[in-house]
Amino acid sequence: MTTLLFTHEACLNHDPGRMHPEHPARLKSVLAALSDPEFDALERREAPSATLEQIARVHPETMVRRILAAVPPHGLAAIDADTVMSPGTGEAVLRATGAAVAAVDAVLAGEARNAFCAVRPPGHHAEPMRAMGFCFFNSVAVAAAHARAVHGLARVAIVDFDVHHGNGTQAAFAATGGVFYASTHQMPLYPGTGARGERGVGNILNVPLHPMAGSEEFRQAYSEVILPALVNFDPDLLMISAGFDAHVDDPLASIALVTEDFAWITRELLRVADRVCDGKVVSCLEGGYDLQALGDGCAAHVRALLAA
Ligand SMILES: [Zn+2]
């Protein structure tokens, strides 16, 4: 069985402006890296659009309609200083979320061992009632809720190695014991949440890293804290919020990871998934703002998924 790659060209048409770090060239860089012949074995699929019913499992229908109604016919429309829409944003957010949902369907149907969604905009800052931090709909959260509601999974785990805390994902599931959310992130840093004391109903595990932390601190956080807790949670499906902005070259943060760390964490997560959920893993692109580091990080991540 292979690895599925979900993407859609509409994800290139969300353009928050020339000076915005979350620009279309990010996804172009990822797709260029994954066009190397070593990735020929990927099974590439076009992402469908998420439905209102799917998104509404996390974001109330009023919020979804409000966001889609705010998409400007031309020019830009700002939700806040960071979170800006262009005419292509509506379809991009529906395809990004739809990719995560379709990837869950395919992996749970046994069509592939695992899947990567090369999509944008990212999702993990989007709270149930609030778009923020470059994010509109929380793709990973919607897909996790879909896995529980439609496929009847009792336990879904989400591991988030983006350098920013996934406040949106935490907010979506802080009271849902059937979803485990674990995150490493720089602290202090945007959005300011993610302290160790934020535990939800015992299902939230935050391991903040100090600015300038490197490979050793990152790997220790996983080896000693997150991976044992993940084994203990015993999920039926593992989802990954895969952000590559903890790389040393990233302009938005100051953690000092190297590309090999992304290969390492992917292999470690796959090892746990093999043990607890037959290797069923769905990963979605979140952040990563240095184009070279982002492309290299995604390649390292997907190389490990393919090798599983
Ligand atoms: Zn980030």
Side-chain angles (χ1 to χ4, degrees):
M1 277 199 298
T2 183
T3 293
L4 296 174
L5 175 66
F6 283 88
T7 189
H8 197 283
E9 63 181 9
C11 292
L12 295 166
N13 297 335
H14 161 61
D15 187 354
R18 204 165 53 85
M19 301 304 286
H20 198 289
E22 206 288 282
H23 49 67
R26 294 182 60 243
L27 182 54
K28 286 182 187 158
S29 171
V30 169
L31 295 176
L34 298 180
S35 70
D36 189 278
E38 72 165 303
F39 297 110
D40 282 353
L42 289 172
E43 186 182 326
R44 293 159 198 265
R45 293 193 188 176
E46 191 164 84
S49 290
T51 65
L52 179 58
E53 182 187 9
Q54 290 164 350
I55 301 170
R57 293 197 182 97
V58 169
H59 304 285
E61 204 172 313
T62 50
M63 184 277 199
V64 178
R65 292 190 190 282
R66 182 163 44 80
I67 292 291
L68 294 177
V71 175
H74 48 78
L76 300 175
I79 304 270
D80 63 32
D82 295 325
T83 314
V84 179
M85 300 177 132
S86 69
T89 301
E91 189 178 359
V93 295
L94 292 174
R95 298 284 182 180
T97 309
V101 171
V104 163
D105 284 340
V107 168
L108 292 179
E111 294 167 24
R113 193 162 172 75
N114 53 46
F116 180 65
C117 300
V119 292
R120 59 178 287 280
H124 73 155
H125 294 307
E127 297 183 346
M129 284 302 287
R130 184 160 68 138
M132 60 180 278
F134 315 165
C135 304
F136 300 88
F137 301 146
N138 193 321
S139 304
V140 166
V142 168
H146 174 83
R148 284 164 49 78
V150 174
H151 296 279
L153 299 194
R155 290 181 306 281
V156 178
I158 302 168
V159 173
D160 184 338
F161 60 73
D162 188 281
V163 80
H164 302 96
H165 180 242
N167 59 292
T169 313
Q170 176 172 301
F173 299 119
T176 306
V179 177
F180 173 72
Y181 174 71
S183 173
T184 46
H185 44 272
Q186 181 180 324
M187 184 170 260
L189 190 67
Y190 182 91
T193 51
R196 279 182 193 273
E198 296 167 24
R199 298 298 312 273
V201 290
N203 63 324
I204 306 289
L205 181 56
N206 288 307
V207 186
L209 303 171
H210 63 80
M212 309 309 290
S215 303
E216 193 179 336
E217 292 92 336
F218 177 80
R219 295 186 184 204
Q220 203 169 25
Y222 282 95
S223 298
E224 294 180 6
V225 184
I226 293 179
L227 296 173
L230 184 59
V231 171
N232 195 47
F233 179 73
D234 193 22
D236 304 309
L237 170 70
L238 172 60
M239 299 199 64
I240 303 175
S241 268
F244 299 88
D245 40 9
H247 190 279
V248 64
D249 291 338
D250 196 275
L252 297 195
S254 40
I255 298 288
L257 298 192
V258 294
T259 300
E260 173 53 27
D261 291 313
F262 297 117
W264 178 84
I265 185 55
T266 309
R267 289 193 303 264
E268 291 298 309
L269 290 171
L270 287 164
R271 202 194 325 261
V272 172
D274 264 348
R275 188 168 149 193
V276 299
C277 57
D278 300 325
K280 291 194 284 284
V281 171
V282 171
S283 174
C284 294
L285 179 62
E286 299 281 2
Y289 303 96
D290 177 83
L291 295 183
Q292 185 70 45
L294 173 61
D296 291 350
C298 275
H301 182 60
V302 174
R303 190 176 294 126
L305 290 172
L306 259 178

